[in-house]
Amino acid sequence: MTFEEKFSELKAKYSDIDTSKIKKSFAVQVTMTDEDCGGTFYVADIAGAYAFEPYDYHDNTAAVDISSSLLEGILDGNIDAKKAFFDGDFKISGDVDDVLYIVDIIKNDKKKAVRKTARKTVKKETKTVKTVKKEAKEADVKKAAEKSEKAAVKTDEPAKPAKKTAKKKSAKSDK
């Protein structure tokens, strides 16, 4: 995968966050260290303008050197950023708090989005179950009405004379 492809994937997944939670300005430059998709981009919020762009940002508050898989693991919440940093799995130069701040914002926003999607799915499934139950009830009522109509029709019709099949049977049995 090229840097452009990997960056596009990351941007689609992590750039659409709720910026109302951001309380301070920061600019974090991220360099992915992978051989196949290495490259640099930045994540910044400067005076309320949020950006996630594929450029060097030399006036940054922090710079991170990290593999793309570790970056995704941290942003998805599967890997603890502080532990990985202190274990030496990636490097931060500059303001470590800014890096951890943006990681927390992205992780929490993604968790919120997942919960919101789950709630929508549950609501939708609840509506579907209610609709199915309603349709089943309506079908049962319709069947009951049809049975009632058939029963009413049967009682209104005059009785038909029985066929003389019994005589034929007894005549056959005499032979």
Side-chain angles (χ1 to χ4, degrees), residues 125-138:
E125 288 175 0
T126 301
K127 285 181 183 178
T128 303
V129 168
K130 285 180 181 178
T131 303
V132 168
K133 285 181 179 178
K134 182 179 177 184
E135 289 171 354
K137 188 175 182 179
E138 288 171 356

Side-chain angles (χ1 to χ4, degrees), residues 106-123:
I106 291 172
K107 280 184 355 186
N108 290 333
D109 194 67
K110 287 298 160 192
K111 285 180 188 175
K112 181 180 174 184
V114 167
R115 286 192 303 268
K116 187 175 182 180
T117 303
R119 280 194 301 272
K120 282 183 181 178
T121 303
V122 167
K123 267 187 176 177

Side-chain angles (χ1 to χ4, degrees), residues 144-162:
E146 288 172 359
K147 282 183 181 180
S148 295
E149 285 177 17
K150 285 181 183 178
V153 169
K154 283 183 181 177
T155 57
D156 291 345
E157 291 179 2
K160 294 182 182 178

